[in-house]
Amino acid sequence: RSGEDFETGEPPVAIRAVQTDILWADHLIIIYPLWLGTMPALLKGFLEQTIRPGFAFERTTDGWPRKVLTHRSARVIVTMGMPALAYRLFYRAHGLKNLERNILHFVGIKPVRNNIVGMIGQLNEAKAQAWLDKIRAKGRRGV
């Protein structure tokens, strides 16, 4: 709720449990619907509570933070009502790039791969299953 709380405050118990899980994990999966061009506010707030100094990065005397969550990878899956190609080309996937570069890479999580599932409201059961199968196959291959 403040810069001081972010820097030195204690995260809630539920967030500490998630931090423990993140430290255990080799790979993270983040799935969210696109809202107003980016992640929902609740996800952003969750990340702000979770990825704090002392957990995900450490302040250094030279001003460059030390990344703590190295040796982890992530897959980000974004669903949206518009065509995925429109989000990538017209909007340049700015919300997704922000999550990848300014949040996940900032704390050392690399590589970050993504899937954008567009026209989600128009997917029939067979198309939805095809997307799930595609993402599962990538997970099994580690890509």
Side-chain angles (χ1 to χ4, degrees):
R1 297 178 188 233
S2 68
E4 181 181 346
D5 181 49
F6 178 71
E7 294 289 335
T8 61
E10 276 294 314
V13 172
I15 295 296
R16 287 196 305 267
V18 170
Q19 289 174 329
T20 299
D21 291 342
I22 290 171
L23 291 175
W24 171 85
D26 294 324
H27 186 74
L28 306 175
I29 299 173
I30 302 171
I31 304 170
Y32 65 89
L34 188 74
W35 286 7
L36 297 175
T38 191
M39 70 184 82
L42 285 174
L43 176 57
K44 180 69 163 62
F46 169 79
L47 292 171
E48 288 173 358
Q49 287 293 315
T50 305
I51 300 177
R52 291 171 170 249
F55 168 71
F57 64 97
E58 294 177 353
R59 302 281 186 204
T60 63
T61 56
D62 64 5
W64 294 101
R66 186 179 76 76
K67 301 172 183 191
V68 174
L69 299 178
T70 58
H71 308 296
R72 287 167 182 78
S73 58
R75 174 160 305 274
V76 178
I77 301 169
V78 184
T79 63
M80 62 191 63
M82 75 174 83
L85 187 61
Y87 183 63
R88 286 199 189 271
L89 295 179
F90 186 72
Y91 295 102
R92 299 185 186 261
H94 70 278
L96 175 59
K97 288 179 183 175
N98 180 58
L99 173 59
E100 290 176 349
R101 296 175 186 162
N102 298 335
I103 298 174
L104 299 176
H105 289 178
F106 177 77
V107 298
I109 299 172
K110 288 182 182 180
V112 177
R113 296 181 174 95
N114 66 69
N115 290 96
I116 299 176
V117 184
M119 306 301 289
I120 195 78
Q122 296 180 12
L123 290 183
N124 61 33
E125 191 172 329
K127 287 182 180 179
Q129 189 61 52
W131 263 110
L132 290 172
D133 292 344
K134 177 180 177 180
I135 292 167
R136 279 189 190 108
K138 287 181 179 194
R140 279 192 288 277
R141 290 191 318 266
V143 295

